[in-house]
Amino acid sequence: MADILDIDAAVIGAGPAGLMAAEQLARGGMRVTVFDGMGAPARKFLLAGRGGLNLTHSEALPDFLARYGAAQAHLTPAIEVFGPQQLRAWADELGQPTFVGTSGRVFPVAMKASPLLRAWLRRLDAQGVQLRLKHRWTGWDGEGRLSFDTPEGPRSFAAGATVLALGGASWPRLGSDGSWSDMLARKGVTVAPLKPANCGFVAAWSALFADKYQGAPLKNVALSFGGRTVRGEAVITRDGLEGGAIYALSALLRDAILAEGEAKLSIALRPDLTTADLAARLAKPKGKQSLSTYLRKTAGLSPAGIGLLQEAAHGSGVALATLPADQLAALINAVPVRLVSTTPIEKAISTAGGIALDEIDANYMLHKLPGVFAAGEMLDWEAPTGGYLLTACFATGLAAGRGAANYLGR
């Protein structure tokens, strides 16, 4: 069934990028309909908000922009228009003021996504934006209209311009499963394979170690790989490692595993102490103490840290108790962990890959599909956690919405 509706612009995807595009189009006087395959909008946004909704970051803009790595040049114009300061002002307009946490991250005072989303949806409704849920996009029909699977069966809709904001492929149960990549590839659009980003990793743990330490945190550690060191925390899982510090290195680790089949991570358990300082401490007699008690009292190691040392020593065929003080000290601040794969993309916080950035023009329109724009995680960029992901989704959504409005002559 084909519906010729009174639509100037269709937005597919009701996450932050899609809703921001819809808002820009509606402000330009467009009749806008937002389609989403789920039964409620912004499901992943709401999930992110359960932990406090880290909207953006307060660091200086040049440092902020550098977080986008290879995509910095492409994303800079959009973020300069709608960056951290503008995002905070926008939230304030919706009655959701923000504050800067001790880490520099920015959160709504409410510390939840739901109040912000409710206020935003009310404003979009007042602007005349229509929301059609449980409409799963399936591509284009033979007449070039947008096709959807709906509760009433297949339907097609005509629109003057389309903004695609379907997300990546992480947390597919919330709506973003990456199925759009094949549809666009069939249209000749270059789409880089979707890969997990800000993800955990699988390590070759022994069963004994995994059983005993799964769920244990490694606090105040330093993780190093590929010439980069990150201070923070990690969590031992049954399969490997996850947590903020590991996420910060995830792009380097992932790409190394893809290229070489594994990555050797180094963990400093006491990064504030030099090897010489540790060796001096460990030169003291152990007496009748168990090795674990001795390491806990002398080197200040946690049970999980001691277990990690034992695991590394076992893997190299060495008994930890036989190591002299200098070698033990060196191991404490350079524990090798062999990572063999990422955790599944479905469990990643975000994804890398997507529509190649040279496939879109300055207005975020696809060169090969005039009138079709793309925003958010569909595009080939990645960023660490800390507010950078959401900021770029909002900014590119705004840019695509304005681009679509310009295309329609508004």
Side-chain angles (χ1 to χ4, degrees):
M1 179 186 297
D3 291 335
I4 309 301
L5 297 180
D6 208 13
I7 298 175
D8 291 319
V11 177
I12 305 177
L19 294 180
M20 184 56 75
E23 181 168 359
Q24 295 308 303
L25 286 157
R27 284 182 174 180
M30 276 7 112
R31 292 157 298 189
V32 185
T33 297
V34 178
F35 299 89
D36 197 274
M38 303 301 289
R43 293 285 303 277
K44 189 176 178 183
F45 181 67
L46 288 172
L47 179 69
R50 290 183 184 177
L53 190 62
N54 181 195
L55 271 177
T56 189
H57 202 286
S58 63
E59 68 184 350
L61 189 59
D63 296 328
F64 187 96
L65 291 168
R67 302 288 187 174
Y68 297 97
Q72 178 181 348
H74 284 87
L75 296 178
T76 290
I79 295 174
E80 285 180 339
V81 170
F82 197 79
Q85 291 184 355
Q86 293 85 353
L87 180 50
R88 295 187 69 186
W90 171 86
D92 195 58
E93 289 174 3
L94 287 170
Q96 299 297 315
T98 59
F99 72 96
V100 179
T102 55
S103 65
R105 299 183 179 201
V106 175
F107 303 87
V109 171
M111 289 297 288
K112 292 188 294 185
S114 51
L116 177 61
L117 180 62
R118 285 196 298 269
W120 194 9
L121 291 173
R122 284 196 298 269
R123 184 159 77 182
L124 290 170
D125 182 65
Q127 292 172 333
V129 174
Q130 300 294 310
L131 185 60
R132 287 179 174 258
L133 301 173
K134 297 183 179 179
H135 280 57
R136 183 176 178 81
W137 184 55
T138 57
W140 292 269
D141 67 14
E143 302 296 324
R145 295 174 296 230
L146 297 166
S147 297
F148 297 87
D149 283 336
T150 78
E152 293 78 34
R155 301 184 69 179
S156 297
F157 299 87
T162 299
V163 177
L164 301 177
L166 288 145
S170 60
W171 292 96
R173 64 183 179 84
L174 302 179
S176 57
D177 60 8
S179 58
W180 51 264
S181 59
D182 288 339
M183 300 181 211
L184 293 183
R186 288 195 293 269
K187 293 287 186 178
V189 177
T190 300
V191 179
L194 295 173
K195 301 176 290 188
N198 294 299
C199 58
F201 289 83
V202 175
W205 299 144
S206 67
L208 179 65
F209 179 82
D211 287 341
K212 188 171 183 178
Y213 294 107
Q214 61 177 316
L218 296 170
K219 297 184 177 182
N220 302 314
V221 295
L223 276 58
S224 299
F225 181 77
R228 187 178 172 203
T229 297
V230 175
R231 296 285 294 267
E233 297 186 4
V235 176
I236 298 168
T237 68
R238 181 164 191 82
D239 297 322
L241 290 169
E242 60 181 34
I246 201 82
Y247 298 156
L249 291 172
S250 62
L252 289 173
L253 292 168
R254 178 199 65 220
D255 291 347
I257 290 170
L258 288 173
E260 301 172 20
E262 65 176 35
K264 293 290 183 65
L265 178 70
S266 177
I267 301 180
L269 297 173
R270 293 301 312 273
D272 292 325
L273 295 176
T274 66
T275 300
D277 289 336
L278 279 169
R281 294 187 180 200
L282 294 167
K284 299 175 182 178
K286 183 166 72 69
K288 295 182 179 180
Q289 299 178 92
S290 68
L291 180 60
S292 293
T293 300
Y294 178 71
L295 289 173
R296 177 174 58 82
K297 291 183 177 180
T298 306
L301 298 182
S302 68
I306 296 168
L308 194 65
L309 281 178
Q310 295 278 19
E311 181 78 353
H314 180 267
S316 61
V318 176
L320 195 64
T322 65
L323 291 178
D326 58 340
Q327 292 183 30
L328 183 55
L331 181 62
I332 287 172
N333 271 348
V335 185
V337 178
R338 177 172 168 261
L339 303 177
V340 296
S341 69
T342 63
T343 52
I345 195 169
E346 297 83 16
K347 296 182 179 181
I349 292 175
S350 59
T351 51
I355 299 169
L357 293 175
D358 58 7
E359 290 281 355
I360 59 172
D361 66 14
N363 291 312
Y364 284 74
M365 185 171 74
L366 292 164
H367 294 296
K368 294 168 184 167
L369 295 172
V372 179
F373 300 76
E377 267 195 272
M378 290 185 74
L379 303 174
D380 187 10
W381 60 274
E382 62 180 309
T385 58
Y388 309 102
L389 293 164
L390 272 178
T391 301
C393 286
F394 280 109
T396 58
L398 184 145
R402 288 186 174 179
N406 291 336
Y407 177 79
L408 293 169
R410 304 293 180 89

